[in-house]
């Protein structure tokens, strides 16, 4: 009752569907969190509009108005700190953060990636999965460290990859679960159920055994 509310900052570059899902889960009372600010490095990012529609402060910070990446990141970090943000959620933020930023907010930055890490890091995770021919892919929420898409993993969802999938159809299947596991990861952190131990994240949650098998088992 009246417990602590985790203060979030969400960094975006584009359409912001994950941002929208986080907003919806917060508004539905499912996560004890509050978005203090949304920051975009792209002026035209639709996510800025989504934030404003929900009366959330939305800032465009132009990377081109700074001479170095660190100066840009310092400006972003200052805005987040001004609003006492406790957890930074990267939601389609298309920039690699420097060690400066990662250090400044050590263990307080999370990201969502559209593949089952450590498979298919970097850009176009869904296309990489289709091209490789895996039968199962999915999405991952992880803490951000100095290496790209390589920080400790909090939660993953697996989906089948069908023979007739292309990048877009697989991306759409994965996105449905992005919209579930990102809010779930934030809920786990907000409720104090997440602990980082070296490379691993220990999560206080129910233990359930099950499998996605593709093609499905017939024996
Ligand atoms: C998602 O696929 C996410 O996994 C990746 O970038 C995309 C962002 O989509 N990091 P949206 O802006 O949240 O709709």
């Amino acid at each position: 009752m009246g417990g602590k509310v985790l203060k979030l900052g969400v960094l975006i570059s584009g359409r912001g569907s994950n941002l929208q899902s986080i907003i919806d889960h917060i508004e539905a009372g499912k996560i004890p969190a509050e978005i203090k600010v949304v920051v975009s490095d792209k002026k035209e990012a639709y996510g800025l509009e989504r934030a404003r529609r929900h009366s959330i402060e939305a800032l465009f910070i132009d990377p081109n108005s700074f001479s170095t990446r660190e100066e840009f990141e310092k400006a972003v970090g200052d805005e987040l700190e001004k609003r006492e943000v406790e957890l930074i959620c990267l939601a389609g933020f298309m920039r690699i953060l420097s060690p400066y930023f990662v250090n400044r907010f050590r263990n307080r930055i999370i990201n969502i990636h559209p593949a089952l890490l450590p498979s298919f890091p970097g850009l176009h995770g869904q296309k990489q999965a289709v091209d490789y021919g895996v039968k199962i892919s999915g999405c991952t929420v992880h803490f951000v460290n100095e290496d790209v898409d390589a920080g400790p993993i909090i939660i993953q969802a697996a989906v089948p990859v069908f023979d007739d999938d292309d990048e877009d159809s697989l991306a759409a299947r994965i996105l449905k679960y992005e919209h579930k596991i990102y809010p779930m990861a934030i809920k786990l952190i907000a409720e104090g159920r997440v602990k980082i131990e070296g490379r691993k994240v220990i999560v206080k949650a129910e233990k359930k055994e099950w499998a996605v098998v593709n093609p499905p088992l017939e024996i």
Side-chain angles (χ1 to χ4, degrees):
M1 288 311 143
K4 214 180 142 298
V5 168
L6 188 70
K7 299 187 187 82
L8 309 178
V10 183
L11 270 50
I12 60 163
S13 299
R15 74 187 159 178
S17 72
N18 278 288
L19 165 67
Q20 186 69 56
S21 181
I22 296 165
I23 292 172
D24 293 345
H25 281 80
I26 290 174
E27 286 187 353
K30 291 178 181 161
I31 315 174
E34 177 194 357
I35 302 177
K36 301 297 284 185
V37 65
V38 171
V39 178
S40 173
D41 64 334
K42 293 266 179 351
K43 195 173 194 300
E44 66 286 356
Y46 182 59
L48 288 173
E49 172 65 25
R50 292 185 195 263
R52 291 188 187 114
R53 276 195 210 157
H54 291 265
S55 308
I56 296 166
E57 189 180 10
L59 301 178
F60 161 56
I61 302 182
D62 187 356
N64 297 319
S65 63
F66 301 89
S67 45
T68 65
R69 175 163 74 148
E70 277 199 15
E71 280 174 36
F72 164 72
E73 290 180 354
K74 186 176 179 308
V76 172
D78 289 350
E79 294 297 341
L80 295 167
E81 261 178 9
K82 241 188 256 172
R83 292 161 184 82
E84 299 179 328
V85 163
E86 296 163 295
L87 182 71
I88 301 165
C89 304
L90 310 184
F93 184 65
M94 299 305 288
R95 285 177 174 270
I96 294 169
L97 293 165
S98 74
Y100 154 74
F101 194 87
V102 172
N103 260 316
R104 180 166 169 185
F105 299 101
R106 172 74 54 194
N107 296 341
R108 292 199 285 139
I109 312 168
I110 62 175
N111 180 44
I112 183 141
H113 182 75
L116 289 177
L117 293 172
S119 291
F120 314 131
L123 290 175
H124 310 296
Q126 305 97 329
K127 182 174 188 309
Q128 292 185 57
V130 169
D131 290 349
Y132 194 95
V134 291
K135 297 296 186 201
I136 294 172
S137 191
C139 44
T140 304
V141 180
H142 63 91
F143 284 102
V144 171
N145 65 12
E146 282 80 357
D147 302 316
V148 176
D149 298 327
I153 291 170
I154 304 163
I155 184 169
Q156 295 184 298
V159 304
V161 181
F162 299 124
D163 294 344
D164 59 357
D165 268 328
D166 59 14
E167 179 179 6
D168 290 344
S169 60
L170 179 60
R173 191 171 309 120
I174 291 172
L175 193 64
K176 283 193 246 163
Y177 290 90
E178 293 188 33
H179 294 165
K180 293 180 195 291
I181 69 168
Y182 213 174
M184 182 67 201
I186 295 166
K187 173 182 156 79
L188 288 167
I189 293 169
E191 292 176 351
R193 296 160 63 189
V194 166
K195 197 168 72 193
I196 305 179
E197 282 184 6
R199 243 242 64 87
K200 292 187 185 169
V201 175
I202 311 300
V203 179
K204 274 194 198 142
E206 190 192 341
K207 220 161 112 184
K208 246 191 203 169
E209 193 177 315
W210 60 279
V212 177
V213 182
N214 179 46
L217 281 179
E218 290 176 4
I219 51 172

